[in-house]
Amino acid sequence: MGKYPNKKSGRLGFDFFLNKLALIAFTILGGYFVYTAISTQMLDALRIGLLCAVVAVPVIVVWWLSLTRSKPVRLAIGSVLAMIFCLIFAVGIRYINIGMDTLNNITAEEDETSLMTVYVRSDDDRNMEDLLDETFGTLSMTEANTKAAIQQLDQEYKTTLSTKAYASATELVDALAEGEVDAILTDQGHMSVLEDLEGYEDAMGGLREVKSFHVVVETENNNDKTSISKADSVFSVYISGSDSRDSNIMATGRSDVNIIATVNTETRQVLLLNTPRDFYIPLARSSSYDYPDKLTHAGLYGVDESKDTLAQYYGIDIDYYFRVNFTGFETIIDALGGIEVDSEHDFYSTIAPTTIHYTQGINKLDGYEALYYVRERYAFVNGDYQRGINQMQVIQAVAGKAMSPAMLTNFTSLMDAVDDCFKTSIPTDLITALVRDQLANGGDWNIVTYYVSGTGSSEYTYSIPSQKAYVTIPDESTVEMAKDLMQQVRDGKIIEDPNAATSDAPSY
């Protein structure tokens, strides 16, 4: 009697072969997950060992369950577990790569730009081609940016523009209104100062944008891109919150948030020092005979100008900057599903396009509401001081929400938002070293805040020498206190409540 192949046996053999291939792919994926996690450089030796063990256990179990032909139920269980852990490994690899890509983008060096704009009177309907033979008013204090913009326009339109320089934005708009020039060529940041000047609050309403484009800002960036070491466990970061409406995070603009973070990694102490936007101090770029300026105006000349101005004023070195675009901050808060802040006051926003009411106590805010919560100052008697408190509240609320387990459900959208909202000169290896140290040693950080204050006044400024503007004259006692607190952090001392020795609010 002839013999026939056992089809069932052959099928089982083929399935067993496919199962072995799947096991090999599963093992490789697990190994790649471990490699990806280690490559972040955020894990210490102990956690690398634990990670390897955690991944090895399911790999061994799945292999044990799957390497048999005689027990199909066990084989099926192994296959199901392999698929589950393949999904876990794949998601983990994707999340790690997204996070590291975002971190690398945030810390990557990028040219700072200025948004240059051609303006004409609102009743002038001419386009750029019609203006090429006319005289353009420019700002003398932004000569380098203006020169770059003129070269760009000359090349684009194959012409040679005629220009006339003025000392301030007020003189520019006056010259245009009086017919001394036919158009204005300047950066949008300097035009934004007009809204704070008496008699010029509505000046932008009388202008029409003809053309806008970016030019690279010439700055000297001396940031040290080396990682922190045990011998150098103290560093400082300038945190800037730009009011720029430009989608480009590296576009120059006034800085509404000016915080110096002094960090001691040995004592796990962080001091956040807030300096009001209108603080009347000398800019780093100005000479001794020039007027001081509002701190916020330093941002018009670049983030390094703001950083160096504060470093010069407080007599310290500031190692890095961390730049936040508060317009983009709105997207982050929405990606987090909103935040909660405990408002000290019941108030309405005076600057939001639509009415927003904030009640005293807990407020759940979406991105739009949070944006105007941190930007509002006119609703408070103590103006910028209270705004600084509100900004700290939102920063802490965002940080707390971002570190919660709920973040995982919105991880991808959150990383996309962060990528467009933050830029820092802190090197990637310093950030990963801090994370690695925190994972290895644990422990809570002692984060305290302090606010320097002053008295309101009206003075001439470096950026607007032709007209007085509102400024805050520094209270030198609070400035000296700030210097002392920063030195205490550097010396390794623990600060409990730096505001206890001062009044609760400044005079304005």
Side-chain angles (χ1 to χ4, degrees), residues 9 21 43 49 53 60 83 93 154 171 173 176 189 279 300 317 373 383 421 439 449 465-466 492:
S9 176
L21 288 180
L43 302 178
I60 292 172
M83 287 188 291
I93 291 169
D154 285 349
E171 294 180 29
V173 295
L176 181 63
F279 233 41
L300 299 174
D317 291 327
Y373 184 80
C421 184
L439 290 174
T449 60
S466 58

Side-chain angles (χ1 to χ4, degrees), residues 348-359:
Y348 289 87
S349 172
T350 64
I351 58 176
T354 58
T355 300
I356 305 176
H357 179 214
Y358 303 95
T359 60

Side-chain angles (χ1 to χ4, degrees), residues 2-37:
K3 293 184 178 179
Y4 296 94
N6 188 327
K7 292 184 178 180
K8 183 176 180 180
S9 176
R11 179 64 183 174
L12 286 174
F14 181 70
D15 289 346
F16 186 73
F17 173 73
L18 289 180
N19 185 53
K20 287 185 69 175
L21 288 180
L23 283 174
I24 293 172
F26 160 68
T27 305
I28 292 174
L29 188 61
Y32 186 62
F33 170 68
V34 172
Y35 167 78
T36 303

Side-chain angles (χ1 to χ4, degrees), residues 102-393:
T102 300
L103 178 59
N104 289 329
N105 288 337
I106 290 172
T107 58
E109 292 188 18
E110 185 176 332
D111 288 331
E112 196 162 18
T113 64
S114 182
L115 183 59
M116 303 298 292
T117 302
V118 174
Y119 297 96
V120 294
R121 292 182 298 275
S122 58
D123 59 355
D124 188 339
D125 60 359
R126 287 179 293 177
N127 58 30
M128 191 65 205
E129 288 79 1
D130 299 328
L131 296 169
L132 298 179
D133 294 328
E134 306 294 354
T135 301
F136 288 73
T138 63
L139 275 179
S140 57
M141 65 179 59
T142 58
E143 183 178 359
N145 293 348
T146 301
K147 183 178 179 180
I150 292 172
Q151 289 177 344
Q152 191 168 321
L153 291 174
D154 285 349
Q155 291 176 2
E156 180 178 353
Y157 294 100
K158 297 179 173 54
T159 187
T160 301
L161 295 182
S162 174
T163 63
K164 184 176 181 180
Y166 292 86
S168 67
T170 56
E171 294 180 29
L172 267 183
V173 295
D174 288 343
L176 181 63
E178 295 167 6
E180 292 181 19
V181 294
D182 299 281
I184 290 173
L185 172 60
T186 186
D187 65 287
Q188 287 193 3
H190 272 86
M191 297 300 285
S192 67
V193 305
L194 295 171
E195 64 189 44
D196 292 335
L197 298 178
E198 184 178 355
Y200 290 89
E201 301 91 337
D202 301 320
M204 294 302 296
L207 304 179
R208 180 176 67 87
E209 292 186 22
V210 177
K211 182 181 180 67
S212 292
F213 55 98
H214 286 94
V215 298
V216 175
V217 176
E218 294 183 9
T219 59
E220 294 183 8
N221 193 337
N222 298 317
N223 294 314
D224 185 5
K225 286 282 184 177
T226 58
S227 62
I228 193 170
S229 67
K230 278 287 183 182
D232 185 22
S233 58
V234 179
F235 62 93
S236 59
V237 183
Y238 165 58
I239 302 173
S240 169
S242 174
D243 79 338
S244 172
R245 277 69 167 177
D246 198 314
S247 59
N248 183 354
I249 183 64
M250 289 305 290
T252 57
R254 294 179 300 176
S255 182
D256 277 354
V257 179
N258 300 279
I259 297 170
I260 300 173
T262 306
V263 182
N264 189 317
T265 62
E266 291 284 348
T267 60
R268 280 175 159 64
Q269 170 83 62
V270 179
L271 170 68
L272 299 178
L273 169 63
N274 183 70
T275 306
R277 72 187 293 277
D278 293 328
F279 233 41
Y280 192 54
I281 60 178
L283 299 188
R285 65 172 21 231
S286 62
S287 59
S288 59
Y289 53 82
D290 287 316
Y291 294 117
D293 208 338
K294 298 165 68 155
L295 175 58
T296 185
H297 290 170
L300 299 174
Y301 310 100
V303 67
D304 280 332
E305 179 69 23
S306 296
K307 177 175 71 69
D308 294 343
T309 293
L310 284 170
Q312 172 183 275
Y313 183 70
Y314 288 109
I316 60 172
D317 291 327
I318 300 180
D319 304 290
Y320 309 108
Y321 68 78
F322 187 89
R323 190 167 191 169
V324 182
N325 184 327
F326 269 89
T327 302
F329 213 56
E330 179 179 343
T331 308
I332 286 185
I333 293 172
D334 285 335
L336 288 170
I339 58 172
E340 290 187 354
V341 296
D342 188 1
S343 176
E344 296 181 354
H345 302 278
D346 185 290
F347 67 97
Y348 289 87
S349 172
T350 64
I351 58 176
T354 58
T355 300
I356 305 176
H357 179 214
Y358 303 95
T359 60
Q360 186 176 17
I362 301 298
N363 292 257
K364 182 173 176 54
L365 309 178
D366 61 21
Y368 177 80
E369 294 164 337
L371 175 63
Y372 287 99
Y373 184 80
V374 299
R375 296 185 66 181
E376 181 59 50
R377 59 182 172 131
Y378 299 110
F380 310 115
V381 174
N382 52 357
D384 272 331
Y385 180 83
Q386 184 61 47
R387 178 163 65 169
I389 293 175
N390 292 350
Q391 289 166 352
M392 295 289 191
Q393 287 180 331

Side-chain angles (χ1 to χ4, degrees), residues 465-481:
S466 58
Q467 181 169 337
K468 288 186 175 182
Y470 175 83
V471 301
T472 300
I473 305 298
D475 179 341
E476 292 301 331
S477 65
T478 63
V479 173
E480 291 305 313
M481 181 68 172

